Amino acid sequence: MGSAISSATSGIRKIASKVGRFFSPSKRNFSYDHGYIASSSTGNSSYGRQYDAPSSSGNSFYDHGYNAAIERRKRNDNKETIRKFTVIYPLSFYPPSEAMKSSRDQNFSETALKTSSPIMSAYLENYYLHSENIHIIFRYLLEIEDLTVMSQYVGLQQKDVIIDSAGDDENREFIVKLNNTDNDINEIVGPFVDEVVVVPKHSAELAADVTGKIDVLLPHKHEHMRGFKFLFRRSGVVTSISKDVLRFRFNFDKNAEPLNVNGREKYNLIIRPMRLPLRYQYRALELLTEDRTTRQYLFPVENSKNLIQNPTRNINERTQRLSTRILVTSSSNSACDTIASGICKNINRSLLYRNQSNLLLRLFSNSALANGVNAIDPELLKRSNCKGGSHYYPAIEDIRKYRIIVTTLCLVGKLVTGGIGAGGFFTHIFIDEAGACSEPEALVGIMDIKSPKCEIILSGDHKQLGPVFKSQRAAELGLSKSLMERLLERKCYLLDERGNYDRTLQFRLNQNYRCHPKILGLFNHLYYNNELQAKAKPSDVNIAAKWHKLPNPNFPIIFQAVFGRTENDKRSGSCFNNRELQVSMELLESLLITGIDGCQVEQTDIAIISPYKQQCERFKKQLRDKKWSNVEIGTVNSFQGREKHIVIISLVRSFTSLGFVDEAKRLNVMLSRAKSLLIIIGNPVTLRRSADLKYILDECSKNGTFVNNDKKETPKHIKQRKQRKHQNKNNL
């Protein structure tokens, strides 16, 4: 899929460097980090359903819609100061099929799935995916995930609630005190990703009773009856949610009468997911259905004419290509931010490009601004759709004025509805962290964007965390395998018996510019067969060498033994360990208050990672109380692709099973985030059950950094169990 760059641990820096070089006259050699880059063809790709066959100049029907919108914009140029995004191709709702709804009633059993479709039945025999079934199988797997997510919302519906409001007409927010809080609604519903449908009592009385069914979440005909005040169901977006209170807003609708609440009238509320990411993926699969060329393109074979030659060939020619237009995308905002920041640095180094305002656009969504514009890198803010501190979606023709566009895959789906790819606009598409997104998600960044001359580059590391799903069933049926991971299983990408591979199709990057060599040594040995090379500058990764709590300055990895107790939060079920929390805060206090060798440690240089959300929430509360809110805290998934100088890991599991703590991909991510100092906190007795964790414990013991100054207290329930065993033995 075109030229290839990037890696697992500092690949984002490499993708930024490579993209920057498309616009830089520099001829410096590239340096690579470890990871896997799948490359495929620049072969022809049709544009899918409802469009005519593609031509070299793009799709005529597609271009006609786009050009018509441009003409309308031109006529209004004198009336508008900021041109806003316009949808040309509306996004369908894509409700789950009746067959899959029926299968859900049987927990998506193999028998139920086989009866749903002969193609699904054949797939379940050997899980063989090919160009003739990929669009159908992924549609079914997405529906399983979709129905699993929707099932959580069925019990959240509110009856007979009174709606209050606050703010002026343009910024009016509606407030509801919830009357059904048996479910942990704030654990399910999210601001800006879920919506509220306000149902007038008359509409509820006339509608069929679908209480407790998935159908309650599907669009109702009354949602389109704007002229009927007592029937019209308005939908708005959730702006905040707590256990007891829900807040939401309506998008401005000039054709609908505003909702006037009086504090007496009662309504029903339907709370449902907007499903935008899934709907964009459904649409990508729909386009793939009638696009056999692209389906074949996704299954490259050896000696295929579609496969490109060495992606570094003629790189100097590419760097001088003035028509280069690049889309850089990833599934997460954090990855996009890091890439965009790296590109900014490359641009600012160039005398030729540093003052060009239309070179880079970091396109943010509404949800990315939940923490406010002050949380965004000022350099990115200058080159974003949040200029002046307010967010807006620019018109497509204004977006297309930029030569590098960086945004998430979900927002790429939105741009496609406005015709962003018309006329073969992009010459290159970079999908970073490609091992962390599902194949349908990656297709959102390809369908209706790739043209015959467009090169696609996947970068990432399939040995780290893959995509996350609510439905374990959909994951195990194949949805959890990324496009990158599947491609690397193709014969043309495999290593030979000597470890060689076809460099015309991929790069395997093995130079690590992030970590201290000893930190690198842990995950290098465990997961990369010692193939990685430490290339970080010593001055960048030795900042913790003189910390007074580090026993060995040459081995900046501490295992702090803690014998706390794993507990479960009653509401969420997530695990936490208060003793590990206490010890972590003591170490953090030493770093922030005492510093290292007389130098202050910045909060922004430290991260705390835990596999469990409840442990993270408890850390956040402690840090808020101490006003250390700039120390970043998150689960393993949220830190994939990130890095910090100092990382503290709280593993939580103690005197219990290991849960998912010892999953190889999860451990790999945790171990590879730290640049200069890695502190692991846990119960060594429990953790030694894992071969990988035992290796880490042994390495710390060997290097004198296994710290065991915590009093070992056996939990009460284990003491009681031992006493019962002893009594039973005496009774024999």
Side-chain angles (χ1 to χ4, degrees):
M1 292 182 178
S3 58
I5 58 166
S6 187
S7 73
T9 61
S10 62
I12 291 178
R13 173 167 47 193
K14 297 301 171 290
I15 198 170
S17 175
K18 179 95 173 198
V19 172
R21 284 187 173 89
F22 274 87
F23 301 92
S24 170
S26 170
K27 296 182 180 179
R28 290 174 294 174
N29 292 328
F30 298 120
S31 55
Y32 301 111
D33 189 1
H34 73 277
Y36 301 86
I37 310 305
S39 59
S40 184
S41 73
T42 55
N44 294 330
S45 170
S46 62
Y47 282 96
R49 213 163 77 90
Q50 90 248 40
Y51 303 136
D52 301 330
S55 65
S56 60
S57 60
N59 178 270
S60 57
F61 177 84
Y62 194 37
D63 291 344
H64 174 74
Y66 172 74
N67 291 332
I70 295 296
E71 289 303 317
R72 288 195 298 272
R73 288 290 186 188
K74 287 179 178 178
R75 290 195 296 267
N76 292 326
D77 269 354
N78 295 329
K79 301 177 183 178
E80 298 178 347
T81 54
I82 296 179
R83 298 184 292 187
K84 300 294 182 67
F85 179 85
T86 300
V87 172
I88 301 174
Y89 308 106
L91 183 66
S92 299
F93 189 81
Y94 298 105
S97 65
E98 292 299 323
M100 281 297 109
K101 285 196 286 185
S102 177
S103 296
R104 169 183 169 268
D105 297 336
Q106 301 174 57
N107 296 317
F108 303 112
S109 68
E110 187 163 329
T111 301
L113 292 174
K114 282 186 173 181
T115 59
S116 67
S117 160
I119 294 177
M120 189 66 174
S121 179
Y123 173 76
L124 291 173
E125 293 298 325
N126 53 19
Y127 291 76
Y128 179 56
L129 200 66
H130 52 79
S131 62
E132 296 305 312
N133 73 357
I134 179 174
H135 52 296
I136 299 170
I137 296 303
F138 277 135
R139 168 76 196 220
Y140 285 136
L141 299 187
L142 276 185
E143 287 189 9
I144 294 174
E145 169 70 7
D146 199 0
L147 286 163
T148 302
V149 172
M150 292 171 75
S151 297
Q152 299 179 291
Y153 289 77
V154 171
L156 304 182
Q157 312 317 309
Q158 304 288 312
K159 291 190 174 182
D160 298 326
V161 298
I162 294 175
I163 301 175
D164 293 320
S165 67
D168 55 32
D169 290 340
E170 290 187 6
N171 299 293
R172 188 171 299 279
E173 189 172 51
F174 296 88
I175 306 152
V176 175
K177 186 174 182 180
L178 303 174
N179 59 20
N180 174 13
T181 57
D182 293 338
N183 296 294
D184 290 318
I185 190 167
N186 55 319
E187 294 289 331
I188 300 170
V189 179
F192 304 108
V193 294
D194 292 320
E195 63 184 3
V196 176
V197 181
V198 178
V199 183
K201 298 300 291 182
H202 194 51
S203 173
E205 291 167 0
L206 292 177
D209 185 12
V210 288
T211 304
K213 299 180 181 179
I214 287 289
D215 290 352
V216 74
L217 304 176
L218 302 181
H220 191 275
K221 62 182 180 181
H222 290 175
E223 293 180 39
H224 305 288
M225 301 179 68
R226 288 176 173 79
F228 298 84
K229 178 181 177 181
F230 297 105
L231 292 178
F232 179 44
R233 299 185 176 193
R234 296 168 174 83
S235 61
V237 63
V238 174
T239 54
S240 71
I241 180 75
S242 66
K243 184 180 183 299
D244 303 307
V245 177
L246 172 72
R247 293 172 178 264
F248 61 95
R249 285 179 178 161
F250 296 114
N251 289 327
F252 176 72
D253 186 348
K254 64 181 180 181
N255 297 316
E257 183 180 339
L259 177 65
N260 294 313
V261 295
N262 54 27
R264 299 185 302 274
E265 191 171 356
K266 293 183 178 181
Y267 298 86
N268 291 352
L269 295 185
I270 297 171
I271 303 171
R272 67 189 185 195
M274 280 197 261
R275 301 169 58 250
L276 280 177
L278 283 172
R279 288 164 65 194
Y280 290 136
Q281 291 171 51
Y282 282 132
R283 183 179 185 277
L285 293 173
E286 182 180 59
L287 296 173
L288 192 63
T289 300
E290 296 183 11
D291 190 351
R292 190 172 185 181
T293 302
T294 298
R295 296 206 306 270
Q296 292 174 338
Y297 169 90
L298 294 169
F299 291 84
V301 295
E302 287 183 297
N303 301 318
S304 169
K305 292 181 180 180
N306 282 340
L307 293 174
I308 66 162
Q309 300 303 310
N310 192 313
T312 59
R313 183 171 58 89
N314 297 329
I315 193 67
N316 289 331
E317 176 186 339
R318 290 181 187 180
T319 58
Q320 303 301 325
R321 190 188 304 167
L322 296 178
S323 60
T324 301
R325 295 177 299 276
I326 302 172
L327 173 65
V328 182
T329 185
S330 183
S331 57
S332 71
N333 271 299
S334 60
C336 289
D337 286 345
T338 308
I339 295 168
S341 294
I343 296 172
C344 283
K345 289 177 182 177
N346 277 281
I347 291 172
N348 290 337
R349 292 190 191 110
S350 168
L351 292 173
L352 182 61
Y353 295 110
R354 68 175 58 167
N355 295 321
Q356 292 191 17
S357 60
N358 65 338
L359 193 57
L360 170 69
L361 174 64
R362 171 62 175 104
L363 200 61
F364 289 104
S365 66
N366 271 324
S367 58
L369 302 179
N371 297 322
V373 294
N374 291 333
I376 300 173
D377 180 346
E379 187 65 29
L380 290 187
L381 202 59
K382 289 192 299 185
R383 299 177 182 270
S384 77
N385 56 324
C386 301
K387 295 173 184 176
S390 60
H391 175 273
Y392 73 100
Y393 290 114
I396 286 293
E397 58 268 33
D398 290 333
I399 295 174
R400 284 164 61 110
K401 291 177 181 178
Y402 292 86
R403 293 175 62 189
I404 310 174
I405 299 166
V406 182
T407 192
T408 60
L409 283 162
C410 187
L411 195 44
V412 170
K414 179 183 179 72
L415 298 181
V416 168
T417 67
I420 187 68
F425 177 73
F426 290 107
T427 59
H428 299 81
I429 301 170
F430 289 78
I431 302 179
D432 191 49
E433 296 289 349
C437 65
S438 69
E439 187 155 350
E441 191 176 6
L443 288 172
V444 173
I446 296 172
M447 301 307 300
D448 267 1
I449 299 175
K450 184 194 181 309
S451 63
K453 295 182 179 180
C454 178
E455 295 183 2
I456 300 176
I457 303 97
L458 304 179
S459 69
D461 185 353
H462 68 293
K463 292 188 177 183
Q464 298 202 355
L465 285 175
V468 179
F469 300 99
K470 291 289 185 183
S471 171
Q472 183 61 34
R473 184 65 172 140
E476 65 191 18
L477 287 172
L479 196 57
S480 62
K481 182 175 288 187
S482 67
L483 172 59
M484 166 168 274
E485 186 173 0
R486 182 177 66 75
L487 283 174
L488 287 170
E489 294 174 354
R490 304 289 295 178
K491 187 176 180 181
C492 56
Y493 291 107
L494 295 178
L495 301 176
D496 65 18
E497 62 276 3
R498 296 181 179 179
N500 298 317
Y501 56 90
D502 189 342
R503 295 175 187 272
T504 67
L505 306 182
Q506 61 178 304
F507 291 157
R508 298 201 173 211
L509 312 179
N510 63 359
Q511 296 180 338
N512 179 287
Y513 288 84
R514 172 185 295 163
C515 303
H516 188 284
K518 296 299 182 181
I519 297 175
L520 172 66
L522 290 183
F523 57 88
N524 193 12
H525 171 82
L526 289 171
Y527 309 117
Y528 296 100
N529 198 30
N530 293 315
E531 294 174 355
L532 309 183
Q533 302 172 24
K535 293 292 183 178
K537 294 179 181 178
S539 58
D540 290 342
V541 295
N542 282 327
I543 66 168
K546 295 184 179 180
W547 187 38
H548 69 285
K549 286 186 176 291
L550 180 61
N552 183 348
N554 297 315
F555 194 80
I557 305 161
I558 297 173
F559 184 88
Q560 173 67 60
V562 172
F563 301 95
R565 178 181 175 184
T566 300
E567 300 178 69
N568 292 87
D569 181 66
K570 292 180 180 179
R571 292 183 60 82
S572 67
S574 182
C575 298
F576 64 94
N577 186 317
N578 281 327
R579 179 60 182 150
E580 288 190 16
L581 176 66
Q582 178 186 351
V583 172
S584 300
M585 293 300 295
E586 290 170 358
L587 291 169
L588 184 61
E589 184 172 1
S590 173
L591 287 164
L592 292 176
I593 302 300
T594 308
I596 296 176
D597 193 31
C599 297
Q600 183 178 356
V601 176
E602 298 295 333
Q603 295 180 32
T604 52
D605 286 331
I606 305 175
I608 300 174
I609 302 175
S610 177
Y612 294 96
K613 185 176 180 181
Q614 182 58 216
Q615 186 79 342
C616 292
E617 293 301 319
R618 289 170 181 256
F619 269 119
K620 288 177 183 177
K621 183 179 184 305
Q622 293 260 343
L623 293 176
R624 282 196 301 268
D625 292 344
K626 289 184 173 289
K627 301 190 185 316
W628 292 342
S629 56
N630 287 328
V631 174
E632 198 162 353
I633 302 169
T635 60
V636 184
N637 298 77
S638 68
F639 266 94
Q640 180 144 302
R642 308 287 306 285
E643 62 183 39
K644 290 285 184 178
H645 271 290
I646 300 168
V647 172
I648 300 172
I649 299 172
S650 171
L651 292 173
V652 176
R653 307 299 290 192
S654 179
F655 299 114
T656 184
S657 65
L658 287 171
F660 55 66
V661 163
D662 68 334
E663 289 179 1
K665 291 184 176 182
R666 196 172 299 277
L667 264 177
N668 190 8
V669 174
M670 284 192 281
L671 296 174
S672 57
R673 300 306 96 199
K675 297 174 67 176
S676 306
L677 176 63
L678 176 63
I679 304 172
I680 304 170
I681 298 173
N683 182 335
V685 176
T686 301
L687 299 178
R688 280 189 184 277
R689 299 175 195 163
S690 161
D692 289 357
L693 288 166
K694 182 179 182 300
Y695 171 78
I696 297 169
L697 292 169
D698 291 344
E699 286 298 297
C700 289
S701 296
K702 188 189 306 181
N703 288 278
T705 59
F706 182 99
V707 181
N708 188 0
N709 51 15
D710 197 50
K711 184 179 179 182
K712 181 177 179 180
E713 294 186 7
T714 306
K716 184 178 178 181
H717 68 287
I718 293 182
K719 288 180 181 178
Q720 292 173 343
R721 189 187 306 159
K722 288 182 177 179
Q723 289 172 357
R724 286 195 299 269
K725 285 183 178 180
H726 183 70
Q727 290 173 356
N728 291 337
K729 187 175 181 180
N730 292 335
N731 291 334
L732 293 176

